[in-house]
Structure formats: C-alpha cells, structure tokens
Amino acid sequence: MYLNIKEPNNRISRHAIRVWIISEAIQNVIGFAVLGVLFYLDNQFSWKEWIGWLLIILLAVSIPAAIWSFISPYIQYKSWRYDVDEEYVQMKSGVWQEKHLLIPMTKIQSVETVQGPIMRKYGLYSVSMGTMGSSHVIPALPKDEAVSLRNQIAKYAKVREEDE
Amino acid sequence: MKQARRYHPLLMLFGLIQLLRNAAFIALFLFVIKSDSQSFLFVWGRKLFLPLIALAVLSIFLKWLSNRYRVDDAQIHLFKGIFVRSKQNVPLSKVQNIHRHTSILHRLFGVTSLTFETGMEGSESAVEFKVISLKEAARLEEMISAEKEAEVPEMSEKTLHFSPGKKDLIKAAFTSLSFLVLLSLLASIYTKTSDFIDFEERGLGFLREFFSSWQLQAAALIIFLLLSVLAGFLRTYIKYGKYEIFSDESRIYIRKGFLEETSFSISKDRVQAIEIKQNMMKRLTGVAEVKLVTAGDVMEGDEKEGVNSLFPFLPVDRAYKIAEEILPAYEVLQKMHPLPKKALWASLLKPSWLWILSAAALCYFRPRFLGIEETWLGASVVLLFLIVFVRIAGFANARYLINGPFIQFKTGIIGTRVFISKRCKVIEAEVTATRWQKIFGLASIQTVNRGKPVQHAGMENVPPEFASFFYTWYKRRTGEVQIK
C-alpha cells in the first residue's frame, strides 16, 4: 500500500460497472457522431487546413479514450471504498489518482439520494452529501443500502459543533 | 416584549441623496448629452423621468414607514415590505463579524452604518443598517458580542496591539507604489472624459504649443513628480494613517480610516484561519499583510475592502508575532519544512500540456512578429523558460508544517501566501496521489475551510508518510471540538 491510510470497508454495487459502461457508451456514440458531422462539414465546405488536422488529432485521441472507457469502470469499481461512522464519512477512489477524503459528520449540511435513468434500470441510487464547502457523491448503491445510509448520515449529521 | 423599531429617520435623507446621485447621471444623459435624440428610448425616457423619480421618492418614504427591526437576546427580527410583508429572523449566534462604516456624510450627521455578517448563503446573508445612531449601534454591537460572552461577565480591557508609526507609513507609501496614484488618476479622468469631449479640438493643441520648449517640459515633469510623491503620501496617510488593532478577552477590533472610518470586529473563535500574504513589492521591502479569514462576507472592491486585514504593511517578524498576540489560541511558526528534492524533479519532468499544445500551434502556424521568421522558435523557448521558472519558484517557495493542532502551508511563485489554520476549523481533508507522484514517491494534501469564498489550501508533492500522517492527524480532531 502506497499511503499508510486504513482503507474504508464498504464497496459500492457491482452493477456500477454496467451503469458506467452504458453511460460512457452513450457519450461515446454522441461524441463520435459530432466528430463525424464535423468531418463531413470539413470535407463539404473545405475548411481551413489546420481544422482538418485538429479533427484528426481529436479522432486519434478519442479512439483510445473510447477503448479505455470500457476498461476504466472495472478499475474504478475496484478502487471505490467508503465508510460512515458517527464521526466521519470516509471515501477512497480513483484510477489515475488515488484519493482519500475525510469529512467530519458535524460539517455535513445536507444529504440526498439521486437516481439517473440508467441507474433506475439496475435499482441503484447515489448518495450525495453537501458540506459548507462542496458536495461529494458515493455512486451506485443498491436502493436499501442507499436509503439507510442517507438516513444514517442525516441522523449523525444533526449534531453541531459549539462555534458554528 | 419590546416593540419593533423603525430605522433611523435620516435613512430617508441618505436614500434621497443616493437617488439624486443616480438620477443626476441619467438626467445628464437624457436631457443634455442626448437632448437632440429622437430615438424612442430617449423620448419616452424624458417623459417618464419625473414621474419615476416621484415614485422612487415615495417608495423611500413608504419603506422607512413600513420596515422595522427588533433585537432580543437571541435573534434579530426584520420586518420588510410595503405590500408584501416579510419577516426574517437572524439568530445572534450566527453573526460572524461586525462592520461599521462611517462615511463623511455619516460623520456630518453624527450617525454611522452597521453590518452584521452571518456567512450564510444567498443575498440576505447580512443584516445591514445603512443609517443608525451611534448610541443604537453601540447598543446592538454590545448585544451581539454579549451573546458569545455569557460566561465572561466582566468586560475585559482592550489592549492596543498595533498602530502604524512614521516609519511604517513611509514603507507603506513606497510598497504600495502610491506615487503612481496621481498618474493613474489623470489617466482615468482623461479616458472617461475623452468620451464626451474631444481634447484634440479644445485646448490640448494649445497645451502642446505651450510645452514645446524643453525647459518648460523639464519643469513640468519635476513639478509633476513632486506632486505625485506628495499625493502618494497623502493618500497613504488618509488610508492607513489612523489604523488601530485592538483586542480584548474574546474579540478583535480593527479600526481604520482618516476621513471615512471603518471598523471591523470579530469574535476570536470565529477566525477560521490566518493568511500572511506578500506580493513582490512587499517581499522586497520586507513587509507582509496579515488577514483574518472569516466565514462572513467581507465585501471586496468597494470602500470596505480589506477590513479583515491587520495593517497590510507589517514588518514580517512583527506580522508573525502579532498574529499570535491577538489570537493566543494560535501558534505560528516561521520555520517550516521544505519539500523534498524529488518534488522538484517530479514537477520539472511532468509534461506540460500548455507548452506542448502552444508549441504545436506555433510550429504549425509560424506567426511572424515584427517580421521575424523564427518567432515560433523564440516564443516556444520563452514559454518553456517561463514554465520552468514557475515550477522552480513554486518548489522553492513551498513550505509546510503540522504543529500540534495547527497546520501551515506556504505557497507562491512571485508573491507568497502563508495559510495557517487549526484542526477544528478545517471542514474537509483530502489526500491524493497520482500515478506520476507515485513514481517519485510523493503525494498531495488539501484542506477546506469556511470562508467567502470557501478556502482551499494544500500542498502538492509532500512525502507520502507526511500525507498519511496528515490524514490521521485530521482524524484526531474529534478530541478537541466541543459538541453542542
């Protein structure tokens, strides 16, 4: 282990991989369609030469990125861990960058469960919590787990510190 | 229960003056500058001008009549609205800091303005009394500060920590480059007025003839320089001449301004962090600015700018000491750890997308600057040097330290910023390590603090052992926060 930090225990739902792959695939299809239209327009209206080069570079970057987007969800899923206790929410994630996040319960201001259209198909929810500074998401939890986590955080987060 | 009060009657006068000021400008535009314009906008504008002014005057009066406030020992109650009534409650415990601003107009009538900042989101985050009698302001301020000090019944003595002497002011005048003030003032007057008046036609041609001899030019230049030095000192004196930092048992008070007086006070335990800032000029003259980071809004840009700053031109040693003096709960150390050598390599060897993309673009387009063929080569080399400089300077300036419950970061390239906070004031902690950093054996840490805007501070490329220590350090905060 690179960092001497105790990893949180809980994992997210395995279906997250499918959800991510589907949404990445949709994005890729849209992306390539736009790129295709641009190539067509470039050809039809003979745009400046450098635009053609730019499009070729974009295509050259997009292809490996598209392939990667089918692999990265597996690693992403493997890397995700979270933990919630009375005092802290801990999260660990990241493919290229290992990221450990620690938020005191007392600093959490709001918590909600969110479900997108693809997640609905797999009965998944993500739990999103807002602090005074930013908001953080635990993606893709089964419904029961997500709801109980949300309620748990809401209960713990009621406590306020003295000087707020 | 006490009756809700109206605001000070002079509020109407101040409202009217402000209205007049705004209206005068529109009137000038409508009736003088564009007086011949037959455009629909201006024709109607001229017709509607007086009725609208009358309406605005009426609304100022009605607002005064209907808006009220009441302060009890737990909350400020605000009653607003002429037709739609609304009531807002602000708990005293949410008030983060107090501003008082006395403009020249306020002074003329012996009143002041008072603002309580709550640090909440949205436009109604502050309770503002635009005009308030000195007595009432003192009463309200007392009530707010008393809310926090229930357990300290005796008002402790205020001690003066700092007030600038002659030497400080001279340094301030030099460091702030205030000698350029006159120049920029003239330039701004010229650009603003030249929109309306054609100088070339009227007068400037005459001036040019007048200054044609070199003796006159030299004399004019010397007089101008003398005037700018004088103006610079005068401005520094007016701005910083009367500057006082007080504190008592529980609060810090900053008062400043010569003609217009601004004061700021904050409860010590509401200070989220301390910032010690130096720009290039300040590094040359060895002075620094100490700022208190607060969760309440501190308006920037207008005359209230910098109210949270303890004198912006403190000698460096004094800056560190004063921070400790007024905040005994803080311990600030000047000696911090530098980054490890490998951090320099990690940052120097990291591919710069900015450079790659701009070099590629330059190489392809081959733009010519002053007809030089090799512009693309020169520009990309210069950019490379700049990037290398930024990276080396960033490495050289970086310092970090965890000292008991305190954390300190120093960052910067040309100017520097030291950020000091306490574990219990940090609201989020993050440790990251990219694959690139892992090759070199490095990691990054980041803290988030309350503030407006939210304060992100952190340090890149620290040793991973330190990053892990930082994580466990933050986890131990539970021991020192008190829970309601």
Side-chain angles (χ1 to χ4, degrees):
Chain A
M1 201 160 53
Y2 185 72
L3 290 163
N4 185 21
I5 294 173
K6 196 181 158 288
E7 279 204 353
N9 297 316
N10 302 316
R11 311 186 77 162
I12 56 173
S13 163
R14 226 195 130 73
H15 291 303
I17 301 173
R18 293 267 186 92
V19 173
W20 285 331
I21 285 181
I22 292 173
S23 79
E24 289 279 352
I26 292 171
Q27 281 175 36
N28 277 325
V29 167
I30 294 171
F32 279 111
V34 170
L35 211 55
V37 170
L38 285 175
F39 266 112
Y40 173 76
L41 291 174
D42 180 41
N43 204 19
Q44 281 291 301
F45 299 100
S46 46
W47 283 346
K48 289 211 171 66
E49 201 194 341
W50 63 271
I51 296 181
W53 279 108
L54 201 67
L55 289 177
I56 289 170
I57 293 170
L58 269 177
L59 186 69
V61 174
S62 302
I63 290 169
I67 297 168
W68 173 248
S69 73
F70 286 97
I71 305 166
S72 78
Y74 290 92
I75 311 174
Q76 186 82 13
Y77 161 75
K78 259 185 149 177
S79 74
W80 249 104
R81 295 279 191 291
Y82 72 93
D83 231 340
V84 173
D85 61 27
E86 270 185 36
E87 282 160 356
Y88 292 100
V89 176
Q90 286 184 74
M91 292 181 216
K92 188 233 144 191
S93 64
V95 179
W96 291 109
Q97 170 175 272
E98 183 181 333
K99 180 170 153 184
H100 298 261
L101 188 71
L102 193 55
I103 313 166
M105 263 309 163
T106 46
K107 302 297 178 193
I108 290 175
Q109 303 234 302
S110 65
V111 58
E112 56 180 353
T113 43
V114 185
Q115 188 179 45
I118 307 167
M119 290 165 83
R120 187 171 305 155
K121 193 164 164 270
Y122 292 93
L124 297 180
Y125 283 85
S126 60
V127 177
S128 148
M129 57 203 98
T131 68
M132 277 177 259
S134 49
S135 89
H136 303 282
V137 182
I138 301 175
L141 294 177
K143 190 184 174 189
D144 299 341
E145 225 171 288
V147 169
S148 76
L149 186 67
R150 184 193 64 197
N151 296 341
Q152 202 182 2
I153 292 175
K155 198 181 110 206
Y156 291 152
K158 255 186 209 150
V159 184
R160 291 269 73 109
E161 280 172 22
E162 192 58 69
D163 55 352
E164 270 165 21
Chain B
M1 195 178 260
K2 266 170 62 187
Q3 198 64 42
R5 300 186 186 202
R6 286 206 175 96
Y7 292 90
H8 199 284
L10 278 173
L11 182 64
M12 290 184 284
L13 182 70
F14 277 67
L16 283 178
I17 290 172
Q18 201 183 0
L19 179 69
L20 272 182
R21 214 186 278 160
N22 294 340
F25 191 74
I26 298 171
L28 186 76
F29 206 66
L30 281 180
F31 296 104
V32 182
I33 296 167
K34 295 277 179 188
S35 57
D36 321 321
S37 168
Q38 287 307 313
S39 142
F40 153 86
L41 197 69
F42 293 108
V43 173
W44 277 98
R46 283 194 282 267
K47 275 185 195 163
L48 287 176
F49 185 70
L50 278 180
L52 281 178
I53 293 287
L55 213 63
V57 171
L58 190 69
S59 99
I60 287 173
F61 178 66
L62 284 178
K63 259 189 199 156
W64 176 76
L65 217 55
S66 57
N67 292 1
R68 282 157 206 259
Y69 70 94
R70 194 183 69 208
V71 183
D72 58 31
D73 45 345
Q75 282 185 324
I76 306 172
H77 306 261
L78 299 173
F79 306 88
K80 266 187 235 180
I82 302 169
F83 299 111
V84 182
R85 306 279 301 165
S86 76
K87 183 177 182 250
Q88 190 191 357
N89 289 352
V90 180
L92 295 189
S93 61
K94 292 279 178 209
V95 173
Q96 297 285 339
N97 55 52
I98 307 172
H99 278 164
R100 210 196 259 211
H101 182 75
T102 317
S103 68
I104 296 170
L105 198 60
H106 280 113
R107 278 188 116 170
L108 223 56
F109 290 101
V111 290
T112 184
S113 75
L114 190 66
T115 311
F116 300 120
E117 299 287 353
T118 62
M120 287 191 263
E121 294 294 317
S123 58
E124 289 185 339
S125 69
V127 179
E128 197 179 3
F129 297 88
K130 285 199 176 101
V131 181
I132 189 168
S133 71
L134 293 173
K135 214 176 113 200
E136 179 73 353
R139 185 183 77 95
L140 292 184
E141 235 177 290
E142 187 103 330
M143 284 186 88
I144 305 284
S145 358
E147 196 274 331
K148 288 291 291 177
E149 285 148 37
E151 65 272 26
V152 192
E154 277 169 74
M155 272 297 277
S156 48
E157 277 294 294
K158 278 190 201 175
T159 46
L160 177 68
H161 293 285
F162 179 80
S163 188
K166 243 188 219 134
K167 223 176 122 193
D168 296 306
L169 287 174
I170 291 172
K171 252 189 181 170
F174 272 106
T175 315
S176 60
L177 297 175
S178 58
F179 311 119
L180 302 176
V181 163
L182 196 62
L183 200 68
S184 68
L185 193 73
L186 284 180
S188 83
I189 288 174
Y190 179 79
T191 49
K192 266 184 196 151
T193 44
S194 62
D195 289 346
F196 299 118
I197 306 159
D198 194 350
F199 279 112
E200 292 297 323
E201 262 172 40
R202 314 180 189 181
L204 219 69
F206 151 78
L207 275 179
R208 194 167 290 150
E209 254 161 59
F210 182 75
F211 283 123
S212 56
S213 85
W214 72 267
Q215 289 97 332
L216 269 175
Q217 278 174 9
L221 194 70
I222 289 169
I223 289 173
F224 181 76
L225 283 178
L226 280 175
L227 273 179
S228 1
V229 170
L230 208 67
F233 269 113
L234 203 65
R235 179 167 172 271
T236 313
Y237 192 67
I238 288 173
K239 227 175 149 184
Y240 304 112
K242 221 172 124 198
Y243 209 108
E244 289 162 326
I245 306 168
F246 287 102
S247 80
D248 61 22
E249 200 74 19
S250 59
R251 295 186 79 82
I252 300 166
Y253 307 83
I254 304 170
R255 200 177 302 153
K256 68 172 183 182
F258 208 71
L259 299 172
E260 299 203 329
E261 207 179 81
T262 308
S263 70
F264 172 82
S265 90
I266 182 169
S267 171
K268 284 183 184 179
D269 54 4
R270 299 247 189 233
V271 175
Q272 306 291 328
I274 307 173
E275 253 183 334
I276 301 178
K277 276 180 155 172
Q278 282 186 295
N279 56 22
M280 191 180 65
M281 272 313 281
K282 286 183 187 174
R283 281 175 88 178
L284 288 176
T285 48
V287 296
E289 173 171 25
V290 181
K291 270 186 161 180
L292 305 174
V293 176
T294 73
D297 207 354
V298 176
M299 279 166 250
E300 298 269 350
D302 58 1
E303 71 278 352
K304 286 172 184 161
E305 186 191 351
V307 281
N308 57 342
S309 152
L310 314 176
F311 200 63
F313 308 98
L314 284 168
V316 172
D317 287 345
R318 189 94 183 83
Y320 279 88
K321 243 179 255 155
I322 208 163
E324 269 188 23
E325 238 174 73
I326 59 167
L327 287 164
Y330 274 81
E331 193 180 335
V332 187
L333 294 182
Q334 278 200 65
K335 207 170 151 43
M336 299 176 248
H337 307 302
L339 291 179
K341 270 264 161 57
K342 51 192 177 182
L344 180 62
W345 293 116
S347 103
L348 276 180
L349 294 173
K350 197 170 162 189
S352 162
W353 295 111
L354 176 71
W355 185 77
I356 292 171
L357 290 178
S358 28
L362 280 167
C363 195
Y364 181 80
F365 289 109
R366 307 261 170 134
R368 284 176 173 215
F369 182 68
L370 299 175
I372 301 166
E373 180 82 41
E374 281 82 23
T375 300
W376 66 277
L377 194 69
S380 52
V381 167
V382 167
L383 188 65
L384 185 68
F385 270 108
L386 264 177
I387 288 168
V388 169
F389 169 75
V390 164
R391 288 176 173 190
I392 292 177
F395 166 80
N397 284 325
R399 295 280 186 283
Y400 64 93
L401 182 73
I402 286 181
N403 163 35
F406 307 103
I407 188 157
Q408 300 182 198
F409 298 121
K410 184 181 180 190
T411 51
I413 294 154
I414 294 172
T416 61
R417 168 189 190 234
V418 181
F419 181 87
I420 304 147
S421 190
K422 269 158 100 174
R423 180 158 48 189
C424 58
K425 295 292 181 197
V426 173
I427 64 171
E428 274 176 51
E430 196 182 277
V431 173
T432 54
T434 60
R435 302 232 159 173
W436 182 260
Q437 283 177 320
K438 284 182 184 177
I439 297 173
F440 290 89
L442 296 166
S444 298
I445 59 180
Q446 206 192 40
T447 60
V448 180
N449 276 71
R450 288 187 73 186
K452 265 198 175 175
V454 172
Q455 299 282 318
H456 291 263
M459 184 64 42
E460 273 181 34
N461 298 340
V462 296
E465 301 80 38
F466 182 77
S468 317
F469 171 69
F470 164 72
Y471 196 84
T472 40
W473 170 82
Y474 189 60
K475 238 185 156 179
R476 288 200 303 267
R477 82 191 279 282
T478 346
E480 66 198 31
V481 294
Q482 268 151 34
I483 280 168
K484 267 187 234 178

